[in-house]
Amino acid sequence: MTCRMTTRQDEAPADTEDGAGLRVAGLPVLGWAILLVTAMMSVTWSAHKLLWQDEIFSFQTDRVASLSEVLRIQRSYPISLEPPPYHVLAHAAMVVFGPTAFALRLPSLIGYLLMQFCLYFFVRNMAGSRAGLVAMAVPALTWTMYYSAEGRPYGVLLGSYALAALCWQVASRRVTEGTPGRVLPLVGLAATLALTLNVHFYGVLVLIPICGAELVRTVVRRRVDRGMLAAIVAGMASLVATIPYIKASGEFKQHYYVATVSVHMLTQPYRQMIMDYTTYPQMVQTVLALLILLVGVIVVWGCVRAVRRRTVVMPVSEWAMILLLVLMPVFAFVLGKLVTHALEVRHSIGAIVGISVLFAIAVARVLRRKSVFYGVMGLLLVGIVAVNFVRVVQAMVDTAQTMADLTMAPDLRAKVDTLADRNIYFQDLGMWEVASLYEPDPELRSRLVLVYSRNEEMSRREHDTMYLTAVHTKRFSDQPIMSYDDLRRVPGEHAFATYHSGWNWTDDAFAEEAAHVEPMGEAFGGELVKVQFQ
C-alpha cells in the first residue's frame, strides 16, 4: 500500500532549520522559554483563583494524614470519582509544600508542561523544529490552560496523552525490533498507557488513537509489530487496577446528577477547548462558534497544502493518530451515551493535542522564512502572556467578589448570634464547600453546617449526588455535617443559607412542611433565612 504522504516508517523531514538555536535536553532554548512563560502564567492564575467545589473534594481527600488513608477513601467512600493516581501525586506534593492550593494543583501543571514538551518532539519529527515550537505554544493560548491550574486529573491526562503519542511515534519509527534504542519508547508507551488508564476513567479514550494508528501501521506493513503489541497489551492490562475504584464510584452512577448525554456534547468540547464561551451572550457565542469553524477549515486546508507540497512527510499511520486524537470528543460522546451515561466537556480535552499538531503542520511552510518564524513566535509568546493576564485579572475579580460575599454584615451577624442555635445551615454543597474553606472568621467558619437528605434530593431533584457526597465526607472528615431529618426534629429557629437554584430543594421542602421562614438578609452569596419547623 502506498500513499503520497509516504508509508515508510522511518522517514522524517531533515531538520536543517537554523531557527531552533541552542538546545538543552534536545529542546531549543525558545522551547524552554515557552515552558517558562506557561508555568509563570499558570502559577499566577492559580495564586489568584480560589478552589471550586470539585477541587475542594480533591483537597479534602488528599490532605488526609497518610497515603494509605487516601487509597482507602478512593476505594471505599470517594467524593472525587476517579482512581487514586492523581490523589497520590497531590498528597505527595502536600507532604512537601503543605496542604495548599499550589500543592493540589502542582501535578496538573507538571502534566500540562509535559504535554507541551512532548508536542515539540512529536511535531519536530514530522515537520521540523520550528513547527514543533509552534505546536507546543498553541495550547497555552486556549482554554485548556485552565486545566494546568486546576487540582483535578485533567492536566495529567493531557501530559499522558501527548507522551503516549510520542512514545508510539518513536517506537514505530525505530523499526528494527529489539534494538536498545527501541526498548525505552516501548517501555514508556506501556507505562504511559497504564498511567492514563488509571488517572481517570475516561483515560480509556487514549486507546482509540494508539490502537487505531497501530492498526493502520500493521495494514501498511502487512505484519504485526510484536514489540508494539506487547507494550500496548501491557498498558491495557493495568485496567484491572481500576476495578475496585469503578465499584466504589458506581454508587453515584445509579442516580447521578447528569442524567442524559446531550448531542451538543459532540461540538461543545471543541468550543470550550478554545475559550470559555459560556460566559458570553448567546449571539456572541454563535459568532465565536462560526469563527472557530472558519479557523478549523483554514487549518485543514493548510494541512492539505502541506501534504501536497511535501512540506510535511510522514507515515499514514501518524496521520491516523492525529485525526483520531482530534475526534476524541466524538468517541467520548459514544462512550458516555452507551456505557457511562455521564459526560462532561473536560473528559475529551485530549483533542487539543491533535488540534495543536494540525495547526503546526498547517503553518509549517511559512515558518521556513526566518523573519516570519521569529515574528510568529514573538506573537505567540506575547499572546500567551496577554490572554492569560486577562484570565488572571478575571480570577482576581471573582475572588474579591467571593470573599466579599463571605464577609457577613455586623448587624446580620448579631441577628444570627441571638438565636439559640447559632449554626448556619447549607443545603447547597458547593457553596458550603467554598464557605467552609474560605470564610475569613474561624469561629463563624466552625458553625457552617451541611445538611443532606436522600429522600428530599431524590423526590425533588431526581438524583442523590449531594447526599452521597455528604455521607462519604462524614466517613473521613470532622467537618460539621448532619441529616436534614435530624435537624427538623430540633426545636427552635435555625439560620439557613438559601440560593434558589436548580440544585436546591430547601425552598420546596420548607413550603411543603409549612415551616415558618423569615428573611434575615444577604450572606454567603445567597439569602439567609430564619426557619422554624412545625
Side-chain angles (χ1 to χ4, degrees):
M1 178 178 177
T2 59
C3 179
R4 182 186 181 98
M5 63 190 76
T6 188
T7 59
R8 294 192 325 190
Q9 301 301 313
D10 56 348
E11 184 172 5
D15 190 5
T16 58
E17 301 164 347
D18 61 358
L22 178 67
R23 285 174 167 80
V24 178
L27 183 66
V29 170
L30 191 51
W32 289 106
I34 293 170
L35 293 179
L36 178 62
V37 171
T38 300
M40 290 176 58
M41 298 311 300
S42 176
V43 170
T44 304
W45 192 5
S46 177
H48 292 92
K49 181 164 69 77
L50 299 180
L51 297 174
W52 71 288
Q53 174 182 299
D54 285 12
E55 286 186 288
I56 297 175
F57 293 159
S58 295
F59 186 70
Q60 290 173 330
T61 300
D62 304 342
R63 68 179 177 181
V64 296
S66 67
L67 177 59
S68 61
E69 179 65 9
V70 172
L71 297 176
R72 182 162 50 251
I73 290 169
Q74 291 304 107
R75 186 174 58 249
S76 304
Y77 32 87
I79 57 175
S80 284
L81 306 182
E82 59 264 337
Y86 187 89
H87 302 285
V88 171
L89 295 172
H91 178 79
M94 290 182 186
V95 170
V96 177
F97 298 104
T100 62
F102 172 77
L104 177 67
R105 292 165 171 168
L106 183 59
S108 287
L109 173 59
I110 294 172
Y112 199 86
L113 297 176
L114 175 63
M115 173 190 65
Q116 292 179 294
F117 186 83
C118 293
L119 272 171
Y120 167 76
F121 291 100
F122 188 77
V123 174
R124 184 202 64 178
N125 295 337
M126 302 171 176
S129 291
R130 293 180 179 179
L133 290 168
V134 169
M136 69 183 298
V138 167
L141 290 168
T142 69
W143 186 249
T144 63
M145 182 74 167
Y146 174 85
Y147 298 103
S148 72
E150 186 187 53
R152 302 294 312 287
Y154 304 106
V156 173
L157 267 182
L158 288 172
S160 64
Y161 285 145
L163 181 56
L166 177 61
C167 288
W168 174 87
Q169 182 196 56
V170 173
S172 67
R173 289 187 173 214
R174 296 176 182 175
V175 293
T176 307
E177 297 184 19
T179 61
R182 197 164 183 261
V183 171
L184 185 59
L186 287 176
V187 172
L189 176 60
T192 305
L193 287 178
L195 172 63
T196 310
L197 296 174
N198 282 273
V199 80
H200 194 280
F201 297 126
Y202 267 86
V204 71
L205 292 173
V206 75
L207 295 177
I208 297 176
I210 294 293
C211 294
E214 185 56 26
L215 177 61
V216 171
R217 179 170 171 263
T218 299
V219 171
V220 170
R221 298 174 73 241
R222 298 183 181 179
R223 63 182 184 275
V224 174
D225 184 336
R226 290 174 294 176
M228 189 76 79
L229 180 61
I232 293 173
V233 170
M236 291 175 64
S238 69
L239 276 170
V240 174
T242 67
I243 292 175
Y245 307 103
I246 292 174
K247 291 180 178 178
S249 299
E251 187 178 4
F252 285 80
K253 182 178 178 181
Q254 187 175 4
H255 302 292
Y256 198 52
Y257 75 93
V258 179
T260 59
V261 177
S262 168
V263 71
H264 295 296
M265 291 300 294
L266 284 168
T267 59
Q268 190 175 347
Y270 294 106
R271 291 174 284 163
Q272 190 76 30
M273 243 178 279
I274 305 304
M275 64 182 66
D276 188 17
Y277 73 98
T278 57
T279 59
Y280 299 99
Q282 186 61 47
M283 180 62 71
V284 177
Q285 290 186 32
T286 302
V287 173
L288 289 174
L290 292 174
L291 287 175
I292 292 171
L293 179 61
L294 177 61
V295 171
V297 171
I298 294 172
V299 167
V300 171
W301 175 75
C303 290
V304 172
R305 290 190 63 188
V307 171
R308 287 180 174 175
R309 298 185 179 186
R310 301 190 67 80
T311 304
V312 175
V313 180
M314 56 191 285
V316 66
S317 57
E318 292 184 10
W319 279 109
M321 167 73 74
I322 297 165
L323 295 177
L324 290 172
L325 281 168
V326 171
L327 291 173
M328 192 169 286
V330 177
F331 305 129
F333 173 81
V334 174
L335 183 63
K337 196 76 172 176
L338 300 180
V339 181
T340 65
H341 308 294
L343 181 63
E344 304 279 3
V345 168
R346 54 185 177 265
H347 292 159
S348 56
I349 58 168
I352 194 63
V353 175
I355 291 171
S356 299
V357 174
L358 287 182
F359 183 87
I361 290 173
V363 301
R365 184 175 180 84
V366 301
L367 299 176
R368 289 178 172 180
R369 295 182 60 182
K370 185 184 293 187
S371 58
V372 173
F373 167 67
Y374 283 113
V376 168
M377 293 311 302
L379 288 174
L380 288 173
L381 286 169
V382 171
I384 291 172
V385 173
V387 168
N388 288 288
F389 177 77
V390 172
R391 293 166 179 165
V392 170
V393 171
Q394 184 60 54
M396 294 172 66
V397 172
D398 294 341
T399 296
Q401 181 61 56
T402 299
M403 297 308 296
D405 291 340
L406 293 177
T407 304
M408 186 179 291
D411 58 334
L412 182 56
R413 173 72 176 270
K415 291 180 183 179
V416 174
D417 289 344
T418 61
L419 300 178
D421 180 1
R422 298 174 66 243
N423 290 330
I424 300 176
Y425 297 93
F426 289 72
Q427 180 262 305
D428 189 300
L429 177 61
M431 299 306 299
W432 174 77
E433 292 280 12
V434 172
S436 295
L437 187 61
Y438 290 111
E439 165 56 48
D441 184 337
E443 193 276 332
L444 181 58
R445 192 188 315 139
S446 68
R447 292 155 47 191
L448 307 181
V449 182
L450 176 67
V451 297
Y452 63 88
S453 171
R454 186 178 191 276
N455 290 336
E456 296 287 352
E457 189 177 348
M458 281 295 300
S459 63
R460 303 183 192 283
R461 294 297 177 261
E462 299 182 341
H463 59 71
D464 59 3
T465 306
M466 288 189 287
Y467 160 78
L468 288 172
T469 304
V471 296
H472 283 201
T473 303
K474 286 181 68 175
R475 296 286 299 274
F476 66 89
S477 171
D478 60 358
Q479 291 179 283
I481 302 173
M482 72 178 298
S483 164
Y484 176 74
D485 294 326
D486 290 342
L487 179 62
R488 289 168 54 198
R489 291 189 285 267
V490 177
E493 297 173 317
H494 313 283
F496 264 83
T498 58
Y499 295 91
H500 316 299
S501 71
W503 285 98
N504 288 260
W505 43 259
T506 46
D507 288 342
D508 296 336
F510 295 159
E512 185 175 302
E513 298 175 47
H516 177 72
V517 179
E518 180 182 333
M520 300 180 71
E522 294 183 356
F524 304 106
E527 181 183 13
L528 201 65
V529 297
K530 185 164 53 177
V531 179
Q532 185 166 12
F533 298 104
Q534 299 297 325

